């Protein structure tokens, strides 16, 4: 049974992490900062391996336009819209509704990650209190779950002090300002062949 579990997990580990809006935003921002402009075609070609559709990318860039983050610079060859940055909100992926308004889902994780970098040493309750704002709700349970996930992969270390668990940030494991995502994998397992069928689907877990 143990060897079977190891085999299954090895196959699941081959699943590609979801790219989605985070990948689009990184490519859009990098192109605009480097050259001052970007097109849907460039983003679509860069994300071809993730099976992203042009319609999805067009939709996301239109949202950024309605939010005032992107601006239409001109119409290029074949009617292609050339976009530029009107506002640079930074490397964190803007969370934008279809109508261009911003929403807070996903920001709890970003707030937790930023606060971890500030506090360095904390318990889940302290982290949750310091990470929440008037607009972003962060529960102690969500903070604890996130810390446990980061501790499991060595980003945080943890120790029990009295009746509480204290986490310490390992600065060597902090690779940048974008919060690490927690990924769930969904797969079809055939016990007859003892193998995972097809490619597992990766999904990012929300703030909770």
């Amino acid at each position: 049974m143990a060897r079977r579990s190891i085999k299954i997990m090895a196959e699941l580990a081959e699943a590609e992490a979801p790219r989605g809006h985070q990948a689009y935003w990184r490519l859009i921002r990098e192109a605009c900062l480097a050259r001052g402009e970007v097109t849907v075609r460039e983003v679509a070609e860069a994300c071809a391996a993730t099976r992203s559709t042009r319609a999805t990318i067009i939709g996301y860039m239109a949202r950024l336009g309605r939010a005032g983050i992107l601006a239409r610079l001109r119409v290029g060859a074949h009617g292609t819209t050339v976009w530029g940055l009107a506002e640079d909100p930074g490397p964190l992926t803007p969370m934008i509704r279809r109508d261009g308004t911003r929403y807070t889902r996903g920001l709890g994780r970003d707030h937790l990650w930023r606060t971890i970098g500030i506090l360095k040493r904390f318990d889940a309750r302290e982290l949750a209190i310091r990470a929440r704002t008037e607009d972003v709700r962060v529960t102690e349970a969500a903070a604890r779950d996130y810390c446990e996930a980061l501790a499991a992969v060595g980003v945080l270390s943890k120790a029990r002090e009295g009746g509480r668990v204290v986490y310490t940030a390992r600065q060597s494991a902090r690779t940048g300002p974008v919060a690490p995502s927690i990924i769930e994998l969904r797969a079809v397992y055939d016990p007859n062949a003892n193998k995972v069928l097809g490619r597992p689907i990766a999904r990012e877990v929300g703030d909770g």
Side-chain angles (χ1 to χ4, degrees):
M1 178 65 74
R3 283 192 296 179
R4 173 178 293 185
S5 298
I6 292 171
K7 179 178 183 296
I8 294 169
M9 291 308 296
E11 292 183 9
L12 290 176
E14 294 179 358
E16 293 180 358
R19 300 287 297 278
H21 291 179
Q22 184 171 334
Y24 308 156
W25 172 243
R26 178 176 59 80
L27 292 164
I28 291 166
R29 183 171 182 267
E30 287 178 355
C32 288
L33 292 179
R35 300 186 292 102
E37 61 185 42
V38 69
T39 65
V40 168
R41 180 178 178 179
E42 292 176 74
V43 179
E45 289 177 350
C47 293
T50 68
R51 299 186 294 278
S52 297
T53 65
R54 289 178 66 90
T56 301
I57 296 169
I58 289 171
Y60 182 63
M61 294 177 75
R63 293 188 195 191
L64 294 176
R66 287 189 285 271
I69 294 173
L70 290 184
R72 288 181 171 87
L73 300 180
R74 64 182 185 278
V75 176
H78 309 295
T80 301
T81 299
V82 181
W83 297 88
L85 277 181
E87 171 196 341
D88 181 10
L92 300 181
T93 307
M95 307 297 287
I96 309 296
R97 296 186 180 92
R98 293 183 184 277
D99 63 1
T101 58
R102 308 189 189 198
Y103 64 102
T104 60
R105 184 186 172 203
L107 290 181
R109 183 187 62 239
D110 295 334
H111 281 217
L112 286 170
W113 182 243
R114 183 172 65 245
T115 306
I116 286 170
I118 295 170
L119 295 180
K120 307 294 192 297
R121 194 168 184 275
F122 47 85
D123 62 14
R125 182 173 182 275
E126 180 184 10
L127 179 62
I129 291 172
R130 293 286 295 273
R132 68 176 63 125
T133 66
E134 291 183 2
D135 299 321
V136 179
R137 175 177 174 270
V138 179
T139 66
E140 182 176 341
R144 182 180 300 106
D145 288 346
Y146 193 57
C147 288
E148 286 295 312
L150 294 180
V153 295
V155 175
L156 301 179
S157 61
K158 69 175 185 176
R160 184 168 292 280
E161 295 184 2
R164 65 179 190 148
V165 175
V166 175
Y167 302 92
T168 302
R170 297 182 57 202
Q171 293 306 305
S172 60
R174 190 179 181 88
T175 57
V178 180
S181 300
I182 310 302
I183 305 300
E184 285 184 348
L185 296 176
R186 183 178 182 182
V188 176
Y189 168 66
D190 181 357
N192 302 294
N194 187 27
K195 64 182 295 185
V196 174
L197 304 179
R199 179 178 290 277
I201 300 170
R203 182 180 70 87
E204 184 176 343
V205 179
D207 289 324

